[in-house]
Amino acid sequence: MAELPLPASETRPVLSEDTQTFVTFWLGEHLFGLPIAEVVEINRKMEITPVPLAPAYIKGIINLRGQVLTTVDLAERLGLQVEAPRAYNLIVRTEDEERISFLVEKIGDILEVPSKNVEEPPERIEGVERKFVRHVCQLPERLLVILNVREVLQDSG
Amino acid sequence: MSFEEDILQDFITEAKESLEKLDEEFVELEQDPQNTEILKSIFRTMHTLKGTAGFFGFKTLEGIAHFAEDILSKLRDGLVVADEEIIDMLLQAVDHIKAIVAHIEEHKQEPVEDTYLEFLVTLSNFADKVARRAQGQAPSEPPSREKPPAEESASPEKEPEKAAREKAEEKGEPEKKEPEKKPEPAEVRPVSPEPPRKEAPKAPPQVTLTETHIRVDVKLLDHLMNLAGELVLARNRLVQLANQKVDPELMQATQTLSLVTTEMQEAIMKTRMQPIGNVFNKFPRIVRDLARSTGKKVNLHIEGADTELDRSIIEAIKDPLTHLVRNSIDHGIEPPEERVQLNKPPVGTLVMRAFHEGGQVIIEIEDDGRGIDTEKVKRKAVEKGLITPEEAERMSDHEALNLIFRPGFSTAEKVTNISGRGVGMDVVKTNIERLGGSIEIRSVKGAGTTVRIKIPLTLAIVPALIVVSGGERYAIPQVSLKELVNIEDPEKEIHRIGQSEFYRLRGNIIPLVRLAKVLGQSDGQARSLVILTSGTMDFGLLVDEVRDSEEIVVKPLDRFLKGIPIYAGATIMGDGKVALILDVVGLSRHVGFRAEEARKALEEEKKRKDTSRETHFILLFNVHPEEQFAIPLSLVSRLDKIKAESLEYVGGKELVQYKGHSVPVIRLENYLPIQPLPEQEEYNLLLFEENEKMVAVLVSQILDSIETDLELDEDIYRTEGILGNRIINGRTTIFVDIYKIIEMFDPDWFKKPVLEIHSRILYAEDSSFYAQLVKNYLEGAGYEVEIAEDGVRAWEKLQEGAYDLLITDIEMPRMNGLELIKKVRADERFRDLPIMVLTSISAEEVYRKAKELGADEFQTKLDRQAVIEAATRLLTAKTTTAEAAA
């Protein structure tokens, strides 16, 4: 099940520099990233048990080898209009060592970028509330939005 | 007995641990004599040791610990610096304590050898010395060089060594300490075989405190527990798969695995089990303190302290138990003087008892105090607005006792510092319920109170019922399950009051909750009813489907879902999918009405129904076997049987001799178009009496007397003397108008009032039977009678035509009699209209109300004569008044 995509080799040309590695994933047109240290594993098509009465962005609970994890539909949480099915479960470790599963559309590359390119978010980011964004990183093609997991999970309990 | 041994065992285990810790800490202290943290810790440990030793009455042990503590306090306060001499002495103290503890473990009592006493003296002197040193500005002189004044150990040499040696040699104490040689003490201390052992067979050095118990990190146990849970799940899944493939070998293997898993699960569960004594043994002290502060005398008995419970539960019941014990002493047990006056022993008894029953643990807290005054409880509840005075009146004692568990209730007359902490019994109850337990209270006023708590053995693995709603499975812990009911016909079996639904289970009204509704799913055809109990109330949960019962492993939900009260957690099913566990207490909050309120509502509804058609006892009889007749029982004066030969014909009239009178006989077939009475040897008589005249109706058989309403169909037999018919017991039954028949038999039977003027009466009556009956007899008396089938209709008729008298029934649909009277009296036009209230039974309360509203007369419907007389009286009076006015 676990299928961590291999790091794309062309994304690490700057070995000497101080770099950061992000696991990236797609939600519609948006490319998001999380520091690799925060991502535990990625699973596909896990069976989700819905939890009635839970907030709408909580899609349900899953069984991760005996551990019951809450699954958050990230698109819903971030308020993005995403039509495509979200088939990937990104298992994330929070600062408090809690584990939570984020439902995402598809997994992108694992990117290693120079730290200097990782910047504070601008005042306005299209489509995403600023508080959910920890950093941004301008890639040649598009903006990589690094999520603030703590914020994403705030007020969700 | 076993309890005392238990706590002694606890003491020994604790002491051993303390001693080990002391050893380590002393070693550390020697390396860092100024470390106050270590000093404080040592001091605390020694202090605790002293305390517990004192509790058990181990005097020597207590003494040694006391002096050691004394010395330690000086060190801790920085008055003396911990030098080798002092540390050595302290270590000796530790060794002696160890020896004593070992002795206690083996012999359940302290050793009596002189060695210990002598050491005690030495230690005491040494402590004095340290104290003096502390006073005499210790730092001025290097403390370690000072000579101890103690007799034996007064030596210029290195004190500790000498003291130890002397001891060893003279007292046969083989233990020897050489704190100077730091690397060694650990080895040296335990065994030093050289010194001759003359006396003291239980001397310190021999002490090897054998460990029968080891301490395990709770986290490790929890982890083990989790793994066991996983194993159970894996096993479940394997069993499922194995069942699909029919392979005997696989089957065999899975069965073995299954067995081992179960056993392992139990064993691991046991590692988390602790005797409840761990909590109970805190109570002697609590009780003692409480008793003292309240000026009461209480004896605490502890039973079943070795009953084992899951660790987490033990932790969780501590506070509720403390609260209950406080309550018992504070509110329950009386002060000694009061007890003596009541012929009770001055010392109250409090029993804490634990035992296993049906896979659960029962804990009882029983006192022989004053019990709970349910009247007082009710009063209080009314005062606090928890219940209405009417509710209080209706409440059973049991219900009243349960009021104590309502939030915002506290029975203490005044808030005391013991029980009145703003934490009520409701909190206790909530806590117990949270554990999946229940609490009940029994109390006999004047004799005492027993609180009974039922809790599950463990929280981690529970048997649960799997139900389905909206295509998803949910688990319901079996402890909350009472029974399962299959609803065949929801229309008939499920009752509805407003938005709430109910089910009648053997006479009890059980409120229903639809799981789909609670979960916000579209409501399917839920036909399976699971009767649950939340501890305080029973309710039914309607689900789509009920599956098997399974052992499930409870997994907590994480913080994102914790706030949803209807879930108690989640579990992983045999197929690897997650299912939510329902929280029965949380679900019970979705019950719209409580059963009590539902019962009330149902009763009221029933009353409404009943009153719109009053029920009466009617007598069923037949004349010919094929026809069934009925008559209101209250109209009949007497029932009797006669022989055929007692019937006689005199002057063309049939008579029967009855109690010395010749009573005229009526044969119904002579007046009604019915089949004739066949010849019988014996007949039944219905006797009617009026104005001291009697008439007998001759019938074949009395069939029954039943209670029924008097709703009649009037269309089939439109004949004089018949009021209508109705199906009773599956047969068409003809209701006989006995007044009419008597009148047909003898037109002069009833006294006719002399009517000077023609009067019109409006009679408001919803029962067609009465409407007909009363109308008939009033018309028989010469009045014109108009029927209105309810208050509204009567009011309308009053607008349409002129009436001289209004007669009204009380209970009617749309507008009842009282409302009608009120309306009539409020209208200027009808201020003088006489009103007579007719009821089927006399009811003081109704009369009073009707009178207040302005009714003039009250009669019962079946009392023909009185009604006619009253009508005549009212109409005459009216005429008179009208004439006078004119």
PDB file of all heavy atoms in Angstrom, chain A residues 49 61 63 66 68, chain B residues 229 233 236 460 462 464 466 473-475 550-557 569-581:
ATOM      1  N   THR A  49     -14.527   5.110   7.241  1.00  0.00           N
ATOM      2  CA  THR A  49     -15.822   4.997   7.911  1.00  0.00           C
ATOM      3  C   THR A  49     -16.309   6.402   8.221  1.00  0.00           C
ATOM      4  O   THR A  49     -15.644   7.131   8.949  1.00  0.00           O
ATOM      5  CB  THR A  49     -15.681   4.205   9.230  1.00  0.00           C
ATOM      6  OG1 THR A  49     -15.140   2.927   8.915  1.00  0.00           O
ATOM      7  CG2 THR A  49     -17.016   4.045   9.918  1.00  0.00           C
ATOM      8  N   ILE A  61     -13.106   8.031   9.677  1.00  0.00           N
ATOM      9  CA  ILE A  61     -11.966   7.452  10.366  1.00  0.00           C
ATOM     10  C   ILE A  61     -11.448   6.254   9.579  1.00  0.00           C
ATOM     11  O   ILE A  61     -12.210   5.589   8.880  1.00  0.00           O
ATOM     12  CB  ILE A  61     -12.327   7.036  11.818  1.00  0.00           C
ATOM     13  CG1 ILE A  61     -13.690   6.341  11.849  1.00  0.00           C
ATOM     14  CG2 ILE A  61     -12.312   8.230  12.729  1.00  0.00           C
ATOM     15  CD1 ILE A  61     -14.123   5.941  13.241  1.00  0.00           C
ATOM     16  N   ASN A  63      -8.511   2.840   9.511  1.00  0.00           N
ATOM     17  CA  ASN A  63      -7.721   1.916  10.304  1.00  0.00           C
ATOM     18  C   ASN A  63      -6.316   1.871   9.723  1.00  0.00           C
ATOM     19  O   ASN A  63      -6.090   1.339   8.647  1.00  0.00           O
ATOM     20  CB  ASN A  63      -8.370   0.523  10.240  1.00  0.00           C
ATOM     21  CG  ASN A  63      -7.452  -0.562  10.766  1.00  0.00           C
ATOM     22  OD1 ASN A  63      -6.484  -0.286  11.473  1.00  0.00           O
ATOM     23  ND2 ASN A  63      -7.767  -1.803  10.420  1.00  0.00           N
ATOM     24  N   GLY A  66      -4.302  -0.835  12.879  1.00  0.00           N
ATOM     25  CA  GLY A  66      -4.775  -0.943  14.258  1.00  0.00           C
ATOM     26  C   GLY A  66      -4.977   0.385  14.947  1.00  0.00           C
ATOM     27  O   GLY A  66      -5.585   0.454  15.997  1.00  0.00           O
ATOM     28  N   VAL A  68      -6.698   4.012  14.972  1.00  0.00           N
ATOM     29  CA  VAL A  68      -7.827   4.689  14.344  1.00  0.00           C
ATOM     30  C   VAL A  68      -7.456   6.149  14.121  1.00  0.00           C
ATOM     31  O   VAL A  68      -7.130   6.859  15.062  1.00  0.00           O
ATOM     32  CB  VAL A  68      -9.090   4.578  15.221  1.00  0.00           C
ATOM     33  CG1 VAL A  68     -10.219   5.410  14.630  1.00  0.00           C
ATOM     34  CG2 VAL A  68      -9.513   3.121  15.347  1.00  0.00           C
TER      35      VAL A  68
ATOM     36  N   GLY B 229      -4.973  -6.294  21.782  1.00  0.00           N
ATOM     37  CA  GLY B 229      -6.171  -5.889  21.059  1.00  0.00           C
ATOM     38  C   GLY B 229      -6.012  -6.150  19.572  1.00  0.00           C
ATOM     39  O   GLY B 229      -6.898  -6.705  18.918  1.00  0.00           O
ATOM     40  N   LEU B 233      -8.026  -8.644  16.982  1.00  0.00           N
ATOM     41  CA  LEU B 233      -8.612  -8.246  15.705  1.00  0.00           C
ATOM     42  C   LEU B 233      -8.113  -9.125  14.569  1.00  0.00           C
ATOM     43  O   LEU B 233      -8.882  -9.591  13.734  1.00  0.00           O
ATOM     44  CB  LEU B 233      -8.287  -6.787  15.412  1.00  0.00           C
ATOM     45  CG  LEU B 233      -8.899  -5.789  16.384  1.00  0.00           C
ATOM     46  CD1 LEU B 233      -8.377  -4.391  16.108  1.00  0.00           C
ATOM     47  CD2 LEU B 233     -10.406  -5.820  16.280  1.00  0.00           C
ATOM     48  N   ASN B 236      -9.753 -12.340  14.791  1.00  0.00           N
ATOM     49  CA  ASN B 236     -11.131 -12.275  14.313  1.00  0.00           C
ATOM     50  C   ASN B 236     -11.186 -12.359  12.797  1.00  0.00           C
ATOM     51  O   ASN B 236     -12.019 -13.032  12.217  1.00  0.00           O
ATOM     52  CB  ASN B 236     -11.789 -10.963  14.751  1.00  0.00           C
ATOM     53  CG  ASN B 236     -12.080 -10.950  16.236  1.00  0.00           C
ATOM     54  OD1 ASN B 236     -11.879 -11.963  16.914  1.00  0.00           O
ATOM     55  ND2 ASN B 236     -12.519  -9.821  16.748  1.00  0.00           N
ATOM     56  N   ALA B 460     -11.027  -1.849  28.248  1.00  0.00           N
ATOM     57  CA  ALA B 460     -10.315  -1.960  26.982  1.00  0.00           C
ATOM     58  C   ALA B 460     -10.990  -2.898  25.991  1.00  0.00           C
ATOM     59  O   ALA B 460     -11.116  -2.595  24.818  1.00  0.00           O
ATOM     60  CB  ALA B 460      -8.898  -2.395  27.236  1.00  0.00           C
ATOM     61  N   VAL B 462     -14.446  -4.977  25.324  1.00  0.00           N
ATOM     62  CA  VAL B 462     -15.803  -5.148  25.833  1.00  0.00           C
ATOM     63  C   VAL B 462     -16.644  -5.923  24.832  1.00  0.00           C
ATOM     64  O   VAL B 462     -16.450  -5.814  23.636  1.00  0.00           O
ATOM     65  CB  VAL B 462     -16.474  -3.786  26.105  1.00  0.00           C
ATOM     66  CG1 VAL B 462     -15.757  -3.031  27.177  1.00  0.00           C
ATOM     67  CG2 VAL B 462     -16.559  -2.949  24.842  1.00  0.00           C
ATOM     68  N   ALA B 464     -19.809  -6.311  22.671  1.00  0.00           N
ATOM     69  CA  ALA B 464     -20.679  -5.281  22.125  1.00  0.00           C
ATOM     70  C   ALA B 464     -21.608  -5.875  21.092  1.00  0.00           C
ATOM     71  O   ALA B 464     -21.324  -6.900  20.484  1.00  0.00           O
ATOM     72  CB  ALA B 464     -19.849  -4.170  21.500  1.00  0.00           C
ATOM     73  N   ILE B 466     -23.396  -5.379  17.514  1.00  0.00           N
ATOM     74  CA  ILE B 466     -23.174  -4.609  16.298  1.00  0.00           C
ATOM     75  C   ILE B 466     -24.521  -4.342  15.631  1.00  0.00           C
ATOM     76  O   ILE B 466     -25.291  -5.270  15.389  1.00  0.00           O
ATOM     77  CB  ILE B 466     -22.264  -5.384  15.315  1.00  0.00           C
ATOM     78  CG1 ILE B 466     -21.003  -5.886  16.025  1.00  0.00           C
ATOM     79  CG2 ILE B 466     -21.913  -4.510  14.115  1.00  0.00           C
ATOM     80  CD1 ILE B 466     -20.117  -4.820  16.595  1.00  0.00           C
ATOM     81  N   ARG B 473     -21.805   0.149  10.225  1.00  0.00           N
ATOM     82  CA  ARG B 473     -21.942  -0.614  11.467  1.00  0.00           C
ATOM     83  C   ARG B 473     -21.615   0.264  12.675  1.00  0.00           C
ATOM     84  O   ARG B 473     -20.736   1.119  12.599  1.00  0.00           O
ATOM     85  CB  ARG B 473     -20.985  -1.805  11.463  1.00  0.00           C
ATOM     86  CG  ARG B 473     -21.433  -2.915  10.558  1.00  0.00           C
ATOM     87  CD  ARG B 473     -20.335  -3.904  10.356  1.00  0.00           C
ATOM     88  NE  ARG B 473     -19.207  -3.277   9.666  1.00  0.00           N
ATOM     89  CZ  ARG B 473     -18.125  -3.937   9.297  1.00  0.00           C
ATOM     90  NH1 ARG B 473     -17.989  -5.204   9.595  1.00  0.00           N
ATOM     91  NH2 ARG B 473     -17.164  -3.316   8.662  1.00  0.00           N
ATOM     92  N   TYR B 474     -22.308   0.026  13.738  1.00  0.00           N
ATOM     93  CA  TYR B 474     -22.023   0.708  14.995  1.00  0.00           C
ATOM     94  C   TYR B 474     -22.024  -0.326  16.109  1.00  0.00           C
ATOM     95  O   TYR B 474     -22.782  -1.292  16.054  1.00  0.00           O
ATOM     96  CB  TYR B 474     -23.074   1.787  15.279  1.00  0.00           C
ATOM     97  CG  TYR B 474     -23.060   2.890  14.247  1.00  0.00           C
ATOM     98  CD1 TYR B 474     -23.822   2.802  13.093  1.00  0.00           C
ATOM     99  CD2 TYR B 474     -22.249   4.011  14.411  1.00  0.00           C
ATOM    100  CE1 TYR B 474     -23.785   3.797  12.136  1.00  0.00           C
ATOM    101  CE2 TYR B 474     -22.199   5.014  13.463  1.00  0.00           C
ATOM    102  CZ  TYR B 474     -22.968   4.905  12.319  1.00  0.00           C
ATOM    103  OH  TYR B 474     -22.915   5.884  11.377  1.00  0.00           O
ATOM    104  N   ALA B 475     -21.172  -0.105  17.080  1.00  0.00           N
ATOM    105  CA  ALA B 475     -21.089  -1.045  18.196  1.00  0.00           C
ATOM    106  C   ALA B 475     -21.725  -0.423  19.428  1.00  0.00           C
ATOM    107  O   ALA B 475     -21.554   0.764  19.697  1.00  0.00           O
ATOM    108  CB  ALA B 475     -19.629  -1.386  18.475  1.00  0.00           C
ATOM    109  N   GLU B 550     -20.093  -9.108  19.484  1.00  0.00           N
ATOM    110  CA  GLU B 550     -18.666  -9.355  19.293  1.00  0.00           C
ATOM    111  C   GLU B 550     -17.869  -8.744  20.433  1.00  0.00           C
ATOM    112  O   GLU B 550     -18.303  -7.782  21.038  1.00  0.00           O
ATOM    113  CB  GLU B 550     -18.178  -8.683  17.994  1.00  0.00           C
ATOM    114  CG  GLU B 550     -18.174  -9.575  16.787  1.00  0.00           C
ATOM    115  CD  GLU B 550     -17.683  -8.825  15.555  1.00  0.00           C
ATOM    116  OE1 GLU B 550     -16.638  -8.134  15.647  1.00  0.00           O
ATOM    117  OE2 GLU B 550     -18.346  -8.926  14.520  1.00  0.00           O
ATOM    118  N   GLU B 551     -16.690  -9.328  20.653  1.00  0.00           N
ATOM    119  CA  GLU B 551     -15.766  -8.688  21.590  1.00  0.00           C
ATOM    120  C   GLU B 551     -15.053  -7.597  20.819  1.00  0.00           C
ATOM    121  O   GLU B 551     -14.424  -7.867  19.797  1.00  0.00           O
ATOM    122  CB  GLU B 551     -14.712  -9.690  22.044  1.00  0.00           C
ATOM    123  CG  GLU B 551     -15.226 -10.814  22.876  1.00  0.00           C
ATOM    124  CD  GLU B 551     -14.857 -10.630  24.317  1.00  0.00           C
ATOM    125  OE1 GLU B 551     -13.660 -10.636  24.622  1.00  0.00           O
ATOM    126  OE2 GLU B 551     -15.773 -10.451  25.136  1.00  0.00           O
ATOM    127  N   ILE B 552     -15.131  -6.402  21.259  1.00  0.00           N
ATOM    128  CA  ILE B 552     -14.450  -5.357  20.516  1.00  0.00           C
ATOM    129  C   ILE B 552     -13.381  -4.707  21.372  1.00  0.00           C
ATOM    130  O   ILE B 552     -13.442  -4.713  22.604  1.00  0.00           O
ATOM    131  CB  ILE B 552     -15.426  -4.279  20.003  1.00  0.00           C
ATOM    132  CG1 ILE B 552     -16.161  -3.628  21.170  1.00  0.00           C
ATOM    133  CG2 ILE B 552     -16.398  -4.868  19.003  1.00  0.00           C
ATOM    134  CD1 ILE B 552     -16.797  -2.328  20.804  1.00  0.00           C
ATOM    135  N   VAL B 553     -12.387  -4.177  20.699  1.00  0.00           N
ATOM    136  CA  VAL B 553     -11.320  -3.463  21.387  1.00  0.00           C
ATOM    137  C   VAL B 553     -11.628  -1.977  21.263  1.00  0.00           C
ATOM    138  O   VAL B 553     -11.784  -1.467  20.165  1.00  0.00           O
ATOM    139  CB  VAL B 553      -9.967  -3.770  20.738  1.00  0.00           C
ATOM    140  CG1 VAL B 553      -8.860  -3.007  21.445  1.00  0.00           C
ATOM    141  CG2 VAL B 553      -9.701  -5.253  20.778  1.00  0.00           C
ATOM    142  N   VAL B 554     -11.751  -1.357  22.396  1.00  0.00           N
ATOM    143  CA  VAL B 554     -12.123   0.051  22.373  1.00  0.00           C
ATOM    144  C   VAL B 554     -10.915   0.909  22.046  1.00  0.00           C
ATOM    145  O   VAL B 554      -9.895   0.844  22.727  1.00  0.00           O
ATOM    146  CB  VAL B 554     -12.716   0.481  23.728  1.00  0.00           C
ATOM    147  CG1 VAL B 554     -13.099   1.950  23.697  1.00  0.00           C
ATOM    148  CG2 VAL B 554     -13.909  -0.390  24.067  1.00  0.00           C
ATOM    149  N   LYS B 555     -11.022   1.676  20.978  1.00  0.00           N
ATOM    150  CA  LYS B 555      -9.953   2.604  20.625  1.00  0.00           C
ATOM    151  C   LYS B 555     -10.503   4.004  20.835  1.00  0.00           C
ATOM    152  O   LYS B 555     -11.605   4.301  20.379  1.00  0.00           O
ATOM    153  CB  LYS B 555      -9.584   2.453  19.149  1.00  0.00           C
ATOM    154  CG  LYS B 555      -9.278   1.042  18.758  1.00  0.00           C
ATOM    155  CD  LYS B 555      -7.824   0.913  18.479  1.00  0.00           C
ATOM    156  CE  LYS B 555      -7.483  -0.538  18.222  1.00  0.00           C
ATOM    157  NZ  LYS B 555      -6.042  -0.738  18.246  1.00  0.00           N
ATOM    158  N   PRO B 556      -9.747   4.814  21.488  1.00  0.00           N
ATOM    159  CA  PRO B 556     -10.265   6.161  21.706  1.00  0.00           C
ATOM    160  C   PRO B 556     -10.286   6.947  20.395  1.00  0.00           C
ATOM    161  O   PRO B 556      -9.491   6.678  19.498  1.00  0.00           O
ATOM    162  CB  PRO B 556      -9.255   6.778  22.674  1.00  0.00           C
ATOM    163  CG  PRO B 556      -8.012   5.998  22.485  1.00  0.00           C
ATOM    164  CD  PRO B 556      -8.417   4.623  22.047  1.00  0.00           C
ATOM    165  N   LEU B 557     -11.197   7.855  20.293  1.00  0.00           N
ATOM    166  CA  LEU B 557     -11.204   8.752  19.145  1.00  0.00           C
ATOM    167  C   LEU B 557     -10.238   9.887  19.461  1.00  0.00           C
ATOM    168  O   LEU B 557     -10.058  10.245  20.612  1.00  0.00           O
ATOM    169  CB  LEU B 557     -12.603   9.310  18.921  1.00  0.00           C
ATOM    170  CG  LEU B 557     -13.630   8.314  18.400  1.00  0.00           C
ATOM    171  CD1 LEU B 557     -15.011   8.931  18.429  1.00  0.00           C
ATOM    172  CD2 LEU B 557     -13.281   7.863  16.994  1.00  0.00           C
ATOM    173  N   GLY B 569     -16.043   5.878  21.209  1.00  0.00           N
ATOM    174  CA  GLY B 569     -14.768   5.462  20.670  1.00  0.00           C
ATOM    175  C   GLY B 569     -14.997   4.772  19.347  1.00  0.00           C
ATOM    176  O   GLY B 569     -16.061   4.898  18.749  1.00  0.00           O
ATOM    177  N   ALA B 570     -13.966   4.049  18.920  1.00  0.00           N
ATOM    178  CA  ALA B 570     -14.098   3.323  17.669  1.00  0.00           C
ATOM    179  C   ALA B 570     -13.494   1.949  17.881  1.00  0.00           C
ATOM    180  O   ALA B 570     -12.806   1.711  18.870  1.00  0.00           O
ATOM    181  CB  ALA B 570     -13.389   4.057  16.554  1.00  0.00           C
ATOM    182  N   THR B 571     -13.779   1.063  16.964  1.00  0.00           N
ATOM    183  CA  THR B 571     -13.174  -0.240  17.052  1.00  0.00           C
ATOM    184  C   THR B 571     -12.922  -0.743  15.637  1.00  0.00           C
ATOM    185  O   THR B 571     -13.501  -0.229  14.680  1.00  0.00           O
ATOM    186  CB  THR B 571     -14.062  -1.239  17.822  1.00  0.00           C
ATOM    187  OG1 THR B 571     -13.308  -2.430  18.026  1.00  0.00           O
ATOM    188  CG2 THR B 571     -15.331  -1.575  17.050  1.00  0.00           C
ATOM    189  N   ILE B 572     -12.024  -1.708  15.537  1.00  0.00           N
ATOM    190  CA  ILE B 572     -11.736  -2.242  14.216  1.00  0.00           C
ATOM    191  C   ILE B 572     -12.396  -3.597  14.088  1.00  0.00           C
ATOM    192  O   ILE B 572     -12.221  -4.478  14.937  1.00  0.00           O
ATOM    193  CB  ILE B 572     -10.213  -2.301  13.985  1.00  0.00           C
ATOM    194  CG1 ILE B 572      -9.710  -0.858  13.971  1.00  0.00           C
ATOM    195  CG2 ILE B 572      -9.896  -2.993  12.681  1.00  0.00           C
ATOM    196  CD1 ILE B 572      -8.248  -0.711  14.179  1.00  0.00           C
ATOM    197  N   MET B 573     -13.180  -3.724  13.061  1.00  0.00           N
ATOM    198  CA  MET B 573     -13.967  -4.940  12.898  1.00  0.00           C
ATOM    199  C   MET B 573     -13.115  -6.035  12.258  1.00  0.00           C
ATOM    200  O   MET B 573     -12.006  -5.783  11.779  1.00  0.00           O
ATOM    201  CB  MET B 573     -15.187  -4.663  12.030  1.00  0.00           C
ATOM    202  CG  MET B 573     -16.059  -3.524  12.521  1.00  0.00           C
ATOM    203  SD  MET B 573     -16.759  -3.824  14.142  1.00  0.00           S
ATOM    204  CE  MET B 573     -17.841  -5.171  13.745  1.00  0.00           C
ATOM    205  N   GLY B 574     -13.696  -7.209  12.233  1.00  0.00           N
ATOM    206  CA  GLY B 574     -12.986  -8.357  11.677  1.00  0.00           C
ATOM    207  C   GLY B 574     -12.512  -8.131  10.252  1.00  0.00           C
ATOM    208  O   GLY B 574     -11.472  -8.651   9.847  1.00  0.00           O
ATOM    209  N   ASP B 575     -13.233  -7.337   9.467  1.00  0.00           N
ATOM    210  CA  ASP B 575     -12.837  -7.107   8.085  1.00  0.00           C
ATOM    211  C   ASP B 575     -11.852  -5.956   7.949  1.00  0.00           C
ATOM    212  O   ASP B 575     -11.537  -5.534   6.835  1.00  0.00           O
ATOM    213  CB  ASP B 575     -14.069  -6.864   7.215  1.00  0.00           C
ATOM    214  CG  ASP B 575     -14.854  -5.639   7.671  1.00  0.00           C
ATOM    215  OD1 ASP B 575     -14.394  -4.938   8.595  1.00  0.00           O
ATOM    216  OD2 ASP B 575     -15.929  -5.372   7.104  1.00  0.00           O
ATOM    217  N   GLY B 576     -11.402  -5.429   9.067  1.00  0.00           N
ATOM    218  CA  GLY B 576     -10.392  -4.374   9.020  1.00  0.00           C
ATOM    219  C   GLY B 576     -10.967  -2.969   8.946  1.00  0.00           C
ATOM    220  O   GLY B 576     -10.252  -1.991   9.054  1.00  0.00           O
ATOM    221  N   LYS B 577     -12.279  -2.891   8.779  1.00  0.00           N
ATOM    222  CA  LYS B 577     -12.887  -1.563   8.713  1.00  0.00           C
ATOM    223  C   LYS B 577     -13.184  -1.049  10.117  1.00  0.00           C
ATOM    224  O   LYS B 577     -13.364  -1.824  11.051  1.00  0.00           O
ATOM    225  CB  LYS B 577     -14.173  -1.636   7.880  1.00  0.00           C
ATOM    226  CG  LYS B 577     -14.263  -0.501   6.887  1.00  0.00           C
ATOM    227  CD  LYS B 577     -15.613  -0.462   6.198  1.00  0.00           C
ATOM    228  CE  LYS B 577     -16.033   0.978   6.048  1.00  0.00           C
ATOM    229  NZ  LYS B 577     -17.400   1.096   5.561  1.00  0.00           N
ATOM    230  N   VAL B 578     -13.235   0.260  10.200  1.00  0.00           N
ATOM    231  CA  VAL B 578     -13.478   0.860  11.505  1.00  0.00           C
ATOM    232  C   VAL B 578     -14.983   1.018  11.727  1.00  0.00           C
ATOM    233  O   VAL B 578     -15.713   1.321  10.794  1.00  0.00           O
ATOM    234  CB  VAL B 578     -12.811   2.250  11.581  1.00  0.00           C
ATOM    235  CG1 VAL B 578     -12.827   2.771  13.004  1.00  0.00           C
ATOM    236  CG2 VAL B 578     -11.393   2.190  11.062  1.00  0.00           C
ATOM    237  N   ALA B 579     -15.417   0.780  12.939  1.00  0.00           N
ATOM    238  CA  ALA B 579     -16.812   1.057  13.293  1.00  0.00           C
ATOM    239  C   ALA B 579     -16.820   1.942  14.527  1.00  0.00           C
ATOM    240  O   ALA B 579     -15.943   1.830  15.380  1.00  0.00           O
ATOM    241  CB  ALA B 579     -17.560  -0.245  13.569  1.00  0.00           C
ATOM    242  N   LEU B 580     -17.783   2.809  14.587  1.00  0.00           N
ATOM    243  CA  LEU B 580     -17.885   3.695  15.748  1.00  0.00           C
ATOM    244  C   LEU B 580     -18.598   2.987  16.893  1.00  0.00           C
ATOM    245  O   LEU B 580     -19.499   2.173  16.660  1.00  0.00           O
ATOM    246  CB  LEU B 580     -18.653   4.952  15.360  1.00  0.00           C
ATOM    247  CG  LEU B 580     -17.875   5.912  14.464  1.00  0.00           C
ATOM    248  CD1 LEU B 580     -18.815   6.814  13.702  1.00  0.00           C
ATOM    249  CD2 LEU B 580     -16.882   6.723  15.279  1.00  0.00           C
ATOM    250  N   ILE B 581     -18.190   3.300  18.091  1.00  0.00           N
ATOM    251  CA  ILE B 581     -18.871   2.750  19.269  1.00  0.00           C
ATOM    252  C   ILE B 581     -19.811   3.834  19.785  1.00  0.00           C
ATOM    253  O   ILE B 581     -19.399   4.982  19.958  1.00  0.00           O
ATOM    254  CB  ILE B 581     -17.863   2.368  20.364  1.00  0.00           C
ATOM    255  CG1 ILE B 581     -16.858   1.352  19.811  1.00  0.00           C
ATOM    256  CG2 ILE B 581     -18.572   1.817  21.584  1.00  0.00           C
ATOM    257  CD1 ILE B 581     -15.669   1.133  20.712  1.00  0.00           C
TER     258      ILE B 581
END
